[in-house]
Amino acid sequence: MADFTDHFYKSADGRLNLYARDYAGGDGKTPLLLMHGLTRNSADFEPLVAHLVGDYRLIVPDQRGRGRSDYDSDPGNYNPAVYAADMGVLMDSLGVERALAIGTSMGGLMAMLMTQMMPGRLTAIVLNDIGPEVDIEGIRRIQSYVGGRAVADWPGAAQQAKAINDLAFPDYNDAEWLAFARRTYREDANGVPVLAYDKAIADGMQDNDLTAVPPDLWPIWDAMGEIPVLTIRGGHSDLLSPMILEHMAQRHHGDFAALTIANRGHAPMLDEPEAVRAILAFVTKHA
């Protein structure tokens, strides 16, 4: 695994200690800000980082309630607008004025919100299986697993990871599922794997409180102007439909590219060869 510096900083509301990995590199280039999905953390990007490290400075945070960041006593703060505000503070704390964002699922929602909340700070965006509108079928599936169940050991964690994500990665083998679990679980004081996120994030995914998923970001999408966007979609994603992707292309005014990854659901890991090629070409052009 590539070396990185631990970076701790205060949240936008000043209440929490938050964490990010800071990978050095890319002198003179725009840093890349990699933002994970709802139940993931900074480790989720390790497969992609392997293809970018050294050539770019990579800033990879744990959002509040995940990984090494503090959990929030107010679950109402587990929403993309709050996370986006934290990202502005993170960039300030590192002396980064502008960044190219790569956002998986929730991280992509955050990137879109950031273009409205802090104009000019994102030079370009890679959206991983997310858009300004989400398919309710995918939301229902996410609701079904957020919070997880207790497991006894790492093989059990790998089995649970597979049960939840098998539709997204149907060709993964046992070793890949164990590696997946190692990125999404941590060991408690007794050495037992537990999910590396606050189970209270599930509160924002309830039928009567979908604060974790803004209902309509089309107005923000339409206002994004000419910010370059690369959108990567899993071929059988249940969150980003082909129709939504087509509308995104039609309504974007700048450099827009889209790629669909076969044999992937929500969301691609971004280490798929075609995804790596597309991301490298995009960041070479815009970072």
Side-chain angles (χ1 to χ4, degrees):
M1 186 172 62
D3 292 335
F4 55 84
T5 300
D6 293 332
H7 178 72
F8 293 91
Y9 65 103
K10 284 291 184 181
S11 59
D13 54 21
R15 298 169 48 248
L16 306 176
N17 292 313
L18 303 183
Y19 171 80
R21 302 181 182 192
D22 186 3
Y23 297 83
D27 292 344
K29 299 177 183 177
T30 302
L32 309 186
L33 176 64
L34 281 60
M35 298 181 291
H36 61 73
L38 182 72
T39 62
R40 308 291 179 82
N41 58 72
S42 56
D44 195 52
F45 284 106
E46 288 175 358
L48 175 61
V49 163
H51 297 277
L52 299 169
V53 70
D55 293 326
Y56 299 91
R57 183 181 185 182
L58 308 176
I59 302 165
V60 194
D62 288 339
Q63 302 303 330
R64 61 173 68 198
R66 284 85 167 175
R68 298 176 66 182
S69 288
D70 284 351
Y71 289 10
D72 199 314
S73 59
D74 180 0
N77 289 325
Y78 290 144
N79 72 77
V82 173
Y83 306 140
D86 289 338
M87 295 301 93
V89 175
L90 169 60
M91 291 172 66
D92 290 343
S93 72
L94 291 169
V96 172
E97 180 61 31
R98 306 180 79 198
L100 184 156
I102 300 177
T104 292
S105 194
M106 182 189 78
L109 298 176
M110 293 163 55
M112 287 184 277
L113 289 169
M114 288 172 70
T115 67
Q116 180 187 59
M117 296 170 62
M118 47 198 83
R121 301 207 70 173
L122 296 185
T123 62
I125 300 172
V126 178
L127 297 174
N128 183 19
D129 211 60
I130 196 69
E133 178 183 344
V134 295
D135 194 309
I136 193 63
E137 180 182 345
I139 297 301
R140 298 292 181 236
R141 179 181 54 79
I142 293 170
Q143 287 175 325
S144 72
Y145 72 74
V146 174
R149 299 181 179 87
V151 299
D153 50 27
W154 282 108
Q159 281 297 110
Q160 180 164 266
K162 179 179 180 179
I164 292 171
N165 299 283
D166 195 35
L167 290 175
F169 307 103
D171 56 354
Y172 268 24
N173 59 35
D174 289 346
E176 288 170 313
W177 283 121
L178 180 58
F180 188 103
R182 292 282 183 181
R183 294 192 297 269
T184 51
Y185 292 73
R186 59 176 176 80
E187 290 186 347
D188 66 12
N190 297 314
V192 176
V194 293
L195 289 164
Y197 63 83
D198 184 355
K199 293 185 179 181
I201 69 171
D203 293 355
M205 291 296 298
Q206 301 307 309
D207 287 338
N208 60 347
D209 180 25
L210 286 177
T211 54
V213 185
D216 181 9
L217 293 184
W218 283 115
I220 291 178
W221 181 261
D222 292 337
M224 281 172 55
E226 297 186 355
I227 295 175
V229 175
L230 166 64
T231 301
I232 296 173
R233 176 181 179 272
H236 48 269
S237 171
D238 58 2
L239 209 67
L240 178 61
S241 71
M243 181 178 296
I244 293 172
L245 186 58
E246 182 179 351
H247 290 167
M248 291 167 67
Q250 293 171 347
R251 294 170 65 161
H252 190 62
H253 306 300
D255 181 357
F256 181 86
L259 172 68
T260 296
I261 307 293
N263 210 33
R264 286 290 180 267
H266 180 80
M269 192 53 63
L270 301 183
D271 64 342
E272 298 85 3
E274 57 267 57
V276 171
R277 287 193 296 269
I279 291 170
L280 288 176
F282 186 80
V283 300
T284 297
K285 182 177 182 181
H286 295 294

